[in-house]
Amino acid sequence: GTGKVTATPINGDVEYLSPVNIGGQTLNLDFDSGSSDLWVFNSQLSTASQTGHTVFNVAKSQTLQMMTGATYSISYGDGSGSAGNVGTDTVNIGGATVTSQAIELATAVSASFVEDTASNGLVGLAFSKLNTVKPTQQKTFFDNAMPNLAEPVFTADLRSNAVGAYEFGAIDTSKFNGTMQWAAVNTTNGFWQFSSEKFQVGDATPMAVPGGQAIADTGTTLMLTSAAVVNAYYANVQGAVNDQQVGGVTFPCNSQLPDLQFDVGGSFMANVKGSDINFAPVDNAGTTCFGGVQAIQSNLQIYGDIMFKSQFVAFNGGNNSIGMAPHQ
Ligand SMILES: CC(C)C[C@H](NC(=O)C[C@H](O)[C@H](CC1CCCCC1)NC(=O)CC[C@H](O)[C@H](Cc1ccccc1)NC(=O)OC(C)(C)C)C(=O)O
């Protein structure tokens, strides 16, 4: 079978939310190819933590079965996190259904999750080896769904300030231009990781990247790479400054940002449109804007939603590869 759901940008493309049916209840969740736990806001949480959220009502599901003794605890790169107990239930994502999916039921969530009332949890789509359930690690929705999918793939079609889609089991070739290009994924770290050794701005000399590795992460808002690449890119932008106050590089909102090409697997260069690198204004007048490409101190670069807005991406769990093509 196949399954397709909308991916709706929230709060200026900070995240993308999709409807998921769990035991007959529909929640808007954040599909995250950078982690591997499916967890939800639910009726076990304190009233305070539930404020403003749609929660999964554990008493209402006819099919929820609690997993005795199972717990989870997860913390993310941005310092947020959640923890709780675990059950199994039927999960239906746009028609793709898993009858006994591990559902992690938060009994505690960090403040940023409580504040982000649009999101009611995450669907982890990285590799199951990163799942945090103890004592028995659980499989992701994609791993469980794969045997029944027409093709062992899911795709991310994320758009700038517009509704896109996630699809399981098929690659909709009408959603991108030209031929999709593929690269090998290294699953050692549990991410959709591929080699990405260089960047290029226009026809300037390509810039090497220390470590030369990147992950495709729908759960990260920006595109995070080495400070050297960030500085070299914004050297092309009049008035760009690294503003510690704001926490990264800003520039005049009317800047003409150049496109940025990045290497994928040593086999092709993919493009991020300059317009997608203007992330958001930082001031009410809308004169100063925050860059979508920012620095990270790590040998593992994180290509987040800024990249997905320019590239239609296919994740192939059958042969562990990643496909990219410019959005149609
Ligand atoms: C648990 C591990 C096995 C995996 C774990 N994976 C990650 O941390 C990456 C993963 O993709 C996580 C998943 C996100 C966690 C926070 C909630 C939203 C999903 N990404 C992250 O941890 C990266 C965090 C995002 O970039 C935030 C997301 C966000 C959205 C709305 C409101 C607040 C925060 N955006 C964000 O900060 O946007 C700004 C910069 C414009 C303010 C890790 O590497 O540690």
Side-chain angles (χ1 to χ4, degrees):
T2 63
K4 184 171 183 179
V5 287
T6 52
T8 303
I10 302 292
N11 299 335
D13 300 355
V14 162
E15 61 187 357
Y16 290 77
L17 300 181
S18 302
V20 176
N21 189 291
I22 303 173
Q25 302 173 50
T26 299
L27 292 175
N28 290 329
L29 305 181
D30 185 351
F31 287 16
D32 177 23
S33 64
S35 68
S36 307
D37 285 49
L38 195 169
W39 69 266
V40 293
F41 273 72
N42 64 93
S43 48
Q44 296 174 112
L45 275 165
S46 68
T47 314
S49 294
Q50 292 186 40
T51 307
H53 287 267
T54 305
V55 304
F56 177 70
N57 185 328
V58 298
K60 258 176 50 182
S61 170
Q62 312 291 331
T63 40
L64 175 68
Q65 296 191 330
M66 292 310 286
M67 203 182 288
T68 312
T71 60
Y72 84 98
S73 176
I74 194 164
S75 61
Y76 299 103
D78 73 347
S80 65
S82 82
N85 47 40
V86 186
T88 59
D89 207 339
T90 301
V91 174
N92 179 335
I93 298 183
T97 300
V98 170
T99 49
S100 183
Q101 173 63 41
I103 309 286
E104 299 165 39
L105 302 163
T107 53
V109 292
S110 62
S112 60
F113 279 114
V114 177
E115 286 149 25
D116 181 13
T117 51
S119 170
N120 299 305
L122 267 69
V123 176
L125 295 169
F127 291 87
S128 297
K129 70 192 309 185
L130 291 179
N131 178 266
T132 72
V133 173
K134 291 185 176 11
T136 314
Q137 194 171 56
Q138 298 298 307
K139 287 186 174 181
T140 65
F141 171 82
F142 181 48
D143 260 353
N144 285 322
M146 226 185 298
N148 301 321
L149 292 176
E151 289 179 73
V153 300
F154 70 93
T155 63
D157 178 7
L158 303 186
R159 301 295 173 129
S160 180
N161 194 29
V163 176
Y166 284 102
E167 185 162 14
F168 292 85
I171 296 175
D172 181 349
T173 55
S174 75
K175 294 295 182 192
F176 55 84
N177 286 325
T179 313
M180 177 162 280
Q181 295 185 286
W182 294 88
V185 161
N186 177 342
T187 64
T188 310
N189 295 325
F191 297 113
W192 291 91
Q193 181 175 328
F194 53 94
S195 76
S196 185
E197 307 232 348
K198 62 183 183 197
F199 279 86
Q200 190 166 7
V201 179
D203 54 11
T205 316
M207 297 172 273
V209 174
Q213 293 289 312
I215 67 170
D217 182 4
T218 56
T220 287
T221 307
L222 303 179
M223 187 165 184
L224 306 174
T225 182
S226 70
V229 168
V230 171
N231 296 338
Y233 173 77
Y234 289 113
N236 299 285
V237 182
Q238 283 290 332
V241 293
N242 197 338
D243 183 339
Q244 295 310 324
Q245 215 86 26
V246 171
V249 178
T250 63
F251 43 77
C253 290
N254 58 10
S255 303
Q256 283 299 316
L257 296 170
D259 289 359
L260 177 63
Q261 296 188 71
F262 61 96
D263 159 39
V264 182
S267 41
F268 63 97
M269 296 294 281
N271 187 58
V272 180
K273 297 193 307 294
S275 55
D276 284 334
I277 298 175
N278 185 337
F279 176 66
V282 294
D283 63 317
N284 296 333
T287 47
T288 304
C289 278
F290 191 68
V293 174
Q294 297 291 349
I296 189 172
Q297 311 298 336
S298 155
N299 277 340
L300 197 52
Q301 305 170 101
I302 303 178
Y303 297 170
D305 299 338
I306 294 293
M307 182 271 289
F308 286 92
K309 292 184 209 181
S310 285
Q311 294 293 323
F312 178 99
V313 178
F315 300 82
N316 187 315
N319 61 14
N320 292 333
S321 63
I322 190 163
M324 292 189 193
H327 283 294
Q328 182 253 27

